[in-house]
Amino acid sequence: SQNVSSPLSNTLNGITCASATFCVAAGEYVNASGAPQTLVETYNGATWSITSSPNVSGSVDDDLNGVSCVSAMFCVAAGEYMPSGGATQTLVETYNGASWSITPSANTSGTALNYLNGVSCVSASFCVAAGDWISPPPLLLRHFETLIEIYNGASWSIISSTDPAALKANVLSGVSCTSASFCVAAGYYMNLSGTSQTLVEVYNGKAWSTASSANTSSIQANLLNSVSCATPLSCVASGGYTNASSVSQTLVEA
C-alpha cells in the first residue's frame, strides 16, 4: 500500500470494497507542517494507489475515519476537520467515479465538537454516518452524545438518536445498513460507575432505538469499534474488553 511520504505519519482508518477490482481505504497523513490531511487510496484489483482528496480551506486538521462504496461510481467518506481557532466539525467527501469532493454535512452547532466515525451507504440516495458530539463549554458539563446523520441523495441531516448515559460518554464508532429501513450502529457508553459498556442502536426506517447488547461484566470496560450486517437477522460487531488482569482482549458479538 502507498504512503504520501515515508518520514511522515500515514494512517488508514476505514475500508470498503464494491467488488474484487474496486476497493477504497481512507484515513489521514501528517504533512510537513504537522497538520493531518485526508488520505484516500484505491485498489484496482492489482495495486493500491493514492487518489487525490480535498481538505477544508483554513483547516488545521482534516481526518477521514470511515468510507463506504456502493459501486465504482459512488463512494462516501466521513470524518471531521478542525477550523483554525474553531470547534471540530463533521467532514463528508463524495466520489463520483472520477474525483472526490467535499459535500456539505450537518453539525449540532458551530461551537460544539462534532465527529463522524463511520459511514454506510446502500445506494447513491441513502447513506448513514454515525459518531458523537460534545456540548460547548462550560467544561465541567461537557460530555459525549451520539450523533447520526442521514443522506437522502441531496443533503445530510441529523436524525434523533438515543443516549443511555445522561451526562456521561455516549459514542458510536461504526454503522452498517442493509437497506433504507434497517441499520445498526455500535459503540459504547459510560455506566454509573464510569465503566464503558457496549452500545448498539437500531434503525427501522423511521427512528433509532437502543438495543440490548452483551458485556463481559459491568465492572470491566467493554466497547465496540465496528459493525457489519449482511441481513437484518445477521450482524456482527467487534471491539474489545479489559479482563481481570487489566489486559485488553478481543470482543465479538453477533
Side-chain angles (χ1 to χ4, degrees):
S1 58
Q2 302 300 306
N3 292 279
V4 176
S5 176
S6 57
L8 303 177
S9 176
N10 292 255
T11 304
L12 296 173
N13 300 320
I15 190 170
T16 180
C17 294
S19 71
T21 57
F22 185 79
C23 297
V24 174
E28 69 276 337
Y29 75 96
V30 178
N31 65 18
S33 300
Q37 302 281 272
T38 61
L39 174 61
V40 174
E41 302 197 7
T42 304
Y43 180 69
N44 63 4
T47 59
W48 287 90
S49 60
I50 294 174
T51 304
S52 177
S53 57
N55 294 278
V56 179
S57 177
S59 171
V60 296
D61 188 340
D62 296 74
D63 304 288
L64 296 174
N65 299 320
V67 60
S68 179
C69 297
V70 296
S71 70
M73 302 299 293
F74 183 80
C75 300
V76 171
E80 67 276 338
Y81 74 96
M82 181 184 293
S84 180
T88 300
Q89 302 282 273
T90 61
L91 173 62
V92 172
E93 302 194 2
T94 304
Y95 181 69
N96 63 3
S99 62
W100 287 89
S101 60
I102 295 175
T103 303
S105 53
N107 292 278
T108 55
S109 79
T111 57
L113 306 180
N114 293 256
Y115 305 88
L116 294 175
N117 300 320
V119 62
S120 178
C121 297
V122 297
S123 70
S125 60
F126 185 82
C127 298
V128 172
D132 55 271
W133 68 282
I134 306 175
S135 56
L139 294 177
L140 291 178
L141 297 178
R142 302 187 81 170
H143 59 282
F144 292 89
E145 298 184 48
T146 58
L147 174 63
I148 296 180
E149 302 191 9
I150 290 184
Y151 180 69
N152 62 4
S155 62
W156 287 89
S157 59
I158 295 173
I159 186 171
S160 179
S161 53
T162 58
D163 292 294
L167 301 179
K168 289 185 178 291
N170 300 265
V171 175
L172 295 173
S173 303
V175 61
S176 178
C177 298
T178 62
S179 70
S181 58
F182 183 81
C183 300
V184 172
Y188 69 91
Y189 74 96
M190 291 291 186
N191 64 16
L192 293 177
S193 63
T195 302
S196 61
Q197 300 281 270
T198 60
L199 172 60
V200 173
E201 300 196 11
V202 179
Y203 181 66
N204 63 4
K206 296 181 179 180
W208 288 87
S209 59
T210 302
S212 176
S213 56
N215 292 278
T216 58
S217 167
S218 62
I219 61 173
Q220 292 177 329
N222 287 250
L223 57 87
L224 297 172
N225 296 321
S226 60
V227 60
S228 179
C229 296
T231 72
L233 298 178
S234 178
C235 296
V236 175
S238 63
Y241 76 96
T242 303
N243 66 14
S245 301
S246 298
V247 177
S248 296
Q249 302 284 273
T250 59
L251 174 65
V252 175
E253 303 194 3

